[in-house]
Amino acid sequence: MHGFRAAFAGSRREPGIGRSTIALDKRSAKSFIRINDRIRAREIRVIDENGEQLGILPPFEALKIARERGLDLVEVSPNAVPPVCRIQDYGRFLYEKEKSERAARKRQKVIVVKEVKFSVTVDEHDYQTKKNQAVRFLTEGDKVKASLRFRGRQMAHRELGYNIINRLIQDIGDAGLVEFMPRMEGTILHAILAPSKKEQPKPRPPQPPQQQAPSAVS
C-alpha cells in the first residue's frame, strides 16, 4: 500500500519540475516574492517576457502560458489592484535584482568620523602633517574630529589650544565646513569638521577666552 502511494505521488509531479524548481522556491521564500503556483490572487495583470500586456487573467491561465514558454510567472507588484505578474526567467530576475542592489550599496557613501589629535606643544612639522591628514579625510568624504588634550598645568592656558584648533579650521579652508565649533569637554578641546559644501558659508571660529592679567602688587 505504501509503495502504491509513493508511486502515485511520484506520478503527480508535473513535467519539468525538479530540483531547480525547489531551489527557486527557496530563493523566492527568502526574498518574499511569490512565483508560479504560490500566487494567490484571483486575477492578475499579466506582462509577458517582451513587455507586452496580456490583460487580466486567472493565475492558472497565466502560469500555463509561462510554462509553455519555459519561463516562470513572477509577482512583481503585489500591492497593485489587481496584482501585476510578469512572465520571465525567475533565476535571471533574481540575478538582476541582486546586481542592482549591490551597485546601489557601492554608491552609498558611509560617512566615518576620523580623529586627528593635537597637543598644546605640537611642533610645526607635526602640525602640518596632521593638517594634511585632516584635509585628505575631508576630500575623501569623511568627517574629522580635531581634538586637543590639556595636561596638568596646561589647563591654565586654554587659549593656546583654541589657537591651534582655530588655526586648523582656517588652514583647511574650503576643504571643510565646521559642524561643531571648538568646545571643551573635561580636559579635551575638540571640533567637528565635515566635507565642505560650497553653497554654505564657512562659520567664523570663536575667539579663545581672554586670560586676565595679574594685578599689580602695590
Side-chain angles (χ1 to χ4, degrees), residues 150-169:
F150 295 94
R151 301 182 184 277
R153 296 180 180 179
Q154 293 175 352
M155 284 292 290
H157 302 281
R158 284 180 292 174
E159 76 283 358
L160 299 178
Y162 274 90
N163 289 340
I164 292 171
I165 299 299
N166 287 338
R167 178 189 174 189
L168 175 70
I169 292 172

Side-chain angles (χ1 to χ4, degrees), residues 7-28:
F8 179 73
S11 65
R12 293 177 62 188
R13 179 177 295 174
E14 297 183 34
I17 299 180
R19 293 182 179 179
S20 61
T21 301
I22 294 174
L24 287 180
D25 287 345
K26 289 181 179 179
R27 293 172 71 184
S28 63

Side-chain angles (χ1 to χ4, degrees), residues 94-111:
L94 280 184
Y95 170 78
E96 294 294 342
K97 184 173 181 291
E98 292 171 0
K99 183 178 178 181
S100 63
E101 289 174 352
R102 286 196 303 270
R105 286 194 295 268
K106 287 182 179 179
R107 289 193 296 268
Q108 291 177 347
K109 171 63 178 177
V110 178
I111 298 178

Side-chain angles (χ1 to χ4, degrees), residues 76-93:
V76 294
S77 296
N79 297 324
V81 182
V84 179
C85 297
R86 190 181 183 98
I87 295 173
Q88 58 188 330
D89 183 332
Y90 183 62
R92 181 71 181 178
F93 168 78

